[in-house]
Amino acid sequence: MAAGLPDPKEIEELLLGGELRYTRVDAVRLSGVTREFSGRLWRAFGYPSMPDDAIAYTEGDISALCRIRELMEEGVLDEDGVIRLVRAFGQTMTRLAEWQVNLLRGMLAPEPGEQASESALNTIVDIAERHIGEFEPLVVHAWRRQLAAAGTRAMAAAATRAGGDPSGRPMTTVGFADMVSFTQVSRELEEIELARVVEWFEETAADIIATCGGRLVKTLGDEVLFSAETPRVGAEIALTVAAAIQDETEVPDVRVGVAYGPVLPLMGDVFGTTVNLAARLTSLARPGSVMIDSELAARLEEDPAYEVTRIVRRPVRGLGIIQPYVLRRNPKPPDGV
């Protein structure tokens, strides 16, 4: 390591919150879990495999293994449940960590291709050392907030399940917003410019979804998937996103497809025919427009705030012939709407 630059091992231990002092053999012995189970946990978290004699574990790792063992012994979770939970944490935290490191890179090298200076590196290390303890509670607080919101949605779905899908799956509005001609745009823009376009699109869509009362399920670069508990909230999200992106001249228009029906929520994602139908409707929509299915149209056509226009039926892959509708705002809604 060059003189004056931070030691990578010291940085790793700073961020881990403890000294690397144990091997995998030590971790298994001290925590009381089996070697096989510890390997499954490690892989579920998304960590690379380590030799048994590599010193790669901290006191925090041992404590985490002990807590997981206690949860299983108390019957809170079985082994498969633990692995699924750990995988969810691992995948979520991987993205969060990458996002945070990218923010730090922006501080280290403000201009593309610019090398981080020694002083900038040491400044970031100093910030981490002084304030990492203050950032950690923010992560827990955000998790509790999202957990409360998800729990409330689940309870509301259970309360109304009698009038929903016979299988017990919640009736949900789901939609995709997809940037038009993204492949062509990606060829025309420099990498940093393309990244800014994608970031602006994701931030704009996420803000609108949250403001309207929906949920951002996931982002796929040039596409976002959202859900909403009611048809009206789903309609508001779709129309607002389409209009907001259309008003930005330097960003390609989006096309939005929305469907209403039963979905299967799993690991933070949603699955099922309703989700597939929303994706197919997106591919049928014109730039700047919103396409919806017949179920959603039936629930919105009496709402004076919207115009629902039936168009020609279309064949779509995997779903046969469908009846799409174009959704617009009513240009002259009655007073009070």
Side-chain angles (χ1 to χ4, degrees), residues 1-328:
M1 195 68 191
L5 292 179
D7 183 344
K9 184 174 183 293
E10 291 181 4
I11 301 303
E12 184 178 13
E13 291 181 343
L14 168 65
L15 296 177
L16 286 173
E19 179 187 356
L20 295 169
R21 57 187 301 186
Y22 299 111
T23 67
R24 181 178 175 183
V25 174
D26 295 330
V28 168
R29 174 176 55 82
L30 293 170
S31 66
V33 302
T34 66
R35 183 180 185 280
E36 179 185 2
F37 181 63
S38 70
R40 290 188 68 194
L41 277 176
W42 196 253
R43 292 190 297 273
F45 269 122
Y47 305 146
S49 297
M50 302 292 290
D52 283 352
D53 59 351
I55 299 176
Y57 299 86
T58 67
E59 289 284 358
D61 293 314
I62 307 300
S63 296
L65 284 171
C66 289
R67 284 195 292 269
I68 289 171
R69 175 179 53 76
E70 291 166 1
L71 287 172
M72 292 193 297
E73 289 175 348
E74 293 171 7
V76 177
L77 291 169
D78 60 14
E79 186 170 317
D80 288 339
V82 167
I83 296 300
R84 293 173 65 188
L85 181 65
V86 165
R87 182 170 289 114
F89 273 121
Q91 292 178 3
T92 301
M93 292 304 168
T94 295
R95 187 177 184 201
L96 175 60
E98 290 290 342
W99 201 331
Q100 290 170 324
V101 168
N102 286 336
L103 289 175
L104 290 177
R105 283 176 181 163
M107 296 173 64
L108 292 170
E111 296 299 325
E114 181 181 328
Q115 295 297 317
S117 67
E118 179 181 319
S119 61
L121 284 167
N122 283 295
T123 298
I124 295 302
V125 172
D126 183 62
I127 291 173
E129 191 169 12
R130 290 171 177 266
H131 301 291
I132 192 169
E134 297 168 15
F135 288 124
E136 188 172 348
L138 296 178
V139 175
V140 176
H141 176 72
W143 169 67
R144 284 185 174 274
R145 271 284 178 181
Q146 293 295 344
L147 187 63
T152 301
R153 287 194 298 267
M155 292 176 65
T160 59
R161 192 162 291 162
D165 180 60
S167 68
R169 292 179 296 172
M171 301 292 284
T172 305
T173 308
V174 293
F176 286 91
D178 175 53
M179 295 177 70
V180 178
S181 303
F182 182 75
T183 301
Q184 179 181 343
V185 171
S186 65
R187 295 193 187 108
E188 296 173 352
L189 296 179
E190 297 290 335
E191 288 183 0
I192 189 65
E193 294 173 333
L194 181 64
R196 286 170 179 160
V197 167
V198 170
E199 184 178 24
W200 184 89
F201 166 62
E202 290 186 354
E203 287 181 355
T204 300
D207 286 350
I208 291 169
I209 292 166
T211 299
C212 292
R215 181 172 80 89
L216 176 64
V217 178
K218 61 183 175 183
T219 61
L220 303 168
D222 61 331
E223 187 174 59
V224 298
L225 170 61
F226 64 87
S227 67
E229 293 182 22
T230 68
R232 202 177 203 278
V233 170
E236 281 300 310
I237 291 171
L239 291 168
T240 306
V241 167
I245 305 299
Q246 198 170 36
D247 288 343
E248 179 59 46
T249 57
E250 296 184 2
V251 176
D253 287 346
V254 297
R255 47 191 181 182
V256 187
V258 194
Y260 180 79
V263 300
L264 174 64
L266 183 64
M267 298 293 284
D269 207 338
V270 288
F271 301 89
T273 302
T274 304
V275 181
N276 295 337
L277 178 55
R280 301 292 184 268
L281 289 165
T282 305
S283 65
L284 297 177
R286 293 181 177 179
S289 71
V290 176
M291 193 81 74
I292 64 175
D293 74 324
S294 56
E295 289 292 336
L296 185 56
R299 287 160 175 78
L300 294 176
E301 60 186 358
E302 300 300 324
D303 191 323
Y306 308 111
E307 275 189 357
V308 177
T309 305
R310 185 164 70 175
I311 61 175
V312 177
R313 299 174 73 192
R314 309 284 180 85
V316 297
R317 180 170 53 86
L319 297 174
I321 305 295
I322 66 169
Q323 176 59 71
Y325 293 75
V326 176
L327 178 67
R328 302 183 182 90

